[in-house]
């Protein structure tokens, strides 16, 4: 009595549970055998499937990488379903491309190690239709005849694809697919159900990995934020004390009756400069606080770009001359004559911060203010011939409380100027970016929507 792996007359392999008994003659000799057998192929498959699904469920809780997890799933799946080709495709909806965290094909050596445009393929059809798809050689001709979907590879085969979700969204964003190059009658309704359950497990595992990655990133971001804020507060105390000490020190000299009267005007100017610096620091901190609390209110007015640029130039021309730098306006009369409908004060603050930085980090050469007009936007820029910004620092310079001590210790600053500029530009409906090369200067750009003369208060 036992289970046997047997072959039918048509060559089909199957499992049977059988009892084989000898038949004796009157002399006690075995003259033949009698077998009672039951086909238990589906029963055994059911047991193997249940075991497989349990093992895959247990795998989902283990600390595995996505690739190693999918490799284990593939290894276990092959015991009950033929899968000469096995892959998992994840869809990037924004770029409409697919990436393949796992792909093994015993016949087709296609390398799926980057993002691919699989539009109009079986994978894309399965995802977009959110339906399980089985493609046989006969059905392949039928499904491809209208040209809306195309298969891949020349080898006749049976292909099974199942959509799944890796997040709580309503639409699937992944497909698991298997392919059998041997048996053209592979993949039954039972196989579809098995693959559907496995696809669900894969979706849950990927979601868990993504959630863990988000937690790690959030933790790292929180730790970095705490570190930056601590460094910012330490630096701020220094930045505030420096001008305050200058104000107090020189004020004390001014009230000293023995102090040389001829130097009083010079001392008063130093006190005034330090007062302006201190006021700028306090205003920056207050603005950041208001932004974080959502208390910034914009006051749009209509004005010409020329007026804005003129005020900015008058504010910085003397400082630039003292630093031995040329402050110039780009020759673009067409752009200077256009009108904007936005918050004049906040826009001026953005340019002020950018030009202050440009003068601060430029030892010699020029600082140029420019403006270009496109169909839907106006683009301002501040160009300088300073020290430049390395590529890795360009990613961080617009972050709040972020300052590079190797540079800022030489020139001072609280590290809030660019963060404020970014916040105000985004509030005004634009974007800000930088183009720079270390040692060759930098150009800061920001865009604002073009003015549509339908309504607005004109700036007097």
């Amino acid at each position: 009595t036992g289970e046997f792996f047997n072959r039918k007359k048509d060559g089909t392999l199957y499992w049977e549970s059988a009892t084989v008994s000898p038949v004796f003659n009157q002399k006690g000799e075995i003259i033949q055998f009698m077998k009672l057998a039951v086909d238990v192929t589906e029963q055994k498959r059911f047991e193997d499937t249940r075991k497989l699904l349990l093992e895959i469920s247990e795998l989902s809780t283990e600390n595995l990488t996505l690739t190693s997890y999918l490799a284990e799933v593939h290894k276990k799946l092959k015991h009950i379903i033929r899968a000469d080709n096995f892959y998992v495709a994840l869809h990037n909806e924004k770029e409409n491309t697919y990436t393949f965290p796992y792909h093994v094909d015993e016949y087709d050596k296609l390398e799926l190690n980057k993002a691919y445009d699989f539009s109009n393929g079986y994978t894309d059809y399965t995802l977009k239709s959110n339906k399980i798809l089985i493609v046989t050689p006969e059905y392949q001709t039928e499904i491809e005849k209208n040209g809306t979907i195309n298969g891949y590879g020349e080898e006749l085969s049976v292909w099974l694809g199942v959509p799944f979700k890796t997040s709580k969204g309503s639409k699937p964003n992944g497909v698991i697919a298997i392919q059998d190059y041997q048996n053209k009658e592979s993949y039954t309704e039972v196989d579809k159900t098995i693959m559907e359950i496995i696809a669900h497990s894969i979706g849950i595992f990927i979601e868990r990995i993504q959630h863990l990655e988000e937690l790690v990133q959030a933790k790292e971001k929180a730790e970095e934020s705490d570190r930056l804020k601590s460094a910012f507060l330490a630096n701020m105390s220094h930045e505030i004390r420096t001008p305050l000490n200058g104000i107090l020190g020189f004020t004390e000299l001014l009230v000293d009756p023995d102090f040389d009267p001829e130097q009083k005007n010079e001392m008063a100017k130093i006190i005034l400069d330090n007062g302006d610096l201190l006021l700028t620091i306090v205003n920056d901190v207050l603005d950041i606080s208001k932004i974080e609390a959502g208390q910034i209110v914009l006051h749009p007015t209509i004005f010409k770009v020329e007026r804005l640029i003129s005020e900015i130039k008058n504010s910085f021309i003397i400082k630039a001359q003292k630093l031995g730098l040329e402050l110039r306006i780009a020759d673009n009369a067409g752009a200077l004559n256009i009108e904007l409908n936005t918050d004049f004060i906040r826009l001026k603050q953005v340019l002020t911060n950018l030009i202050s930085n440009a003068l601060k980090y430029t030892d010699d050469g020029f600082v140029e203010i420019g403006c270009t007009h496109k169909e839907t936007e106006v683009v301002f820029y501040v160009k300088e011939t300073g020290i430049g910004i390395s590529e890795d620092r360009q990613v961080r310079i617009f972050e709040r409380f972020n300052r590079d001590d190797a540079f800022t210790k030489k020139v001072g600053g609280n590290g809030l100027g660019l963060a404020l500029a970014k916040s105000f530009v985004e509030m005004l409906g634009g974007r800000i970016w930088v183009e720079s090369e270390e040692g060759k200067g930098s150009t800061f750009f920001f865009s604002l929507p073009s003015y549509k003369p339908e309504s607005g208060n004109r700036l007097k």
Side-chain angles (χ1 to χ4, degrees), residues 206-216:
I206 293 175
E207 184 177 3
R208 184 172 73 88
I209 286 180
Q210 290 174 340
H211 182 61
L212 289 174
E213 288 176 349
E214 288 170 0
L215 287 176
V216 170

Side-chain angles (χ1 to χ4, degrees), residues 88-110:
V88 171
L90 298 178
H91 184 238
N92 183 324
E93 185 175 9
K94 185 177 180 181
E95 300 178 3
N96 194 28
T97 57
Y98 288 86
T99 54
F100 299 82
Y102 184 83
H103 172 238
V104 172
D105 195 328
E106 297 176 12
Y107 289 85
D108 192 345
K109 302 304 178 184
L110 179 65

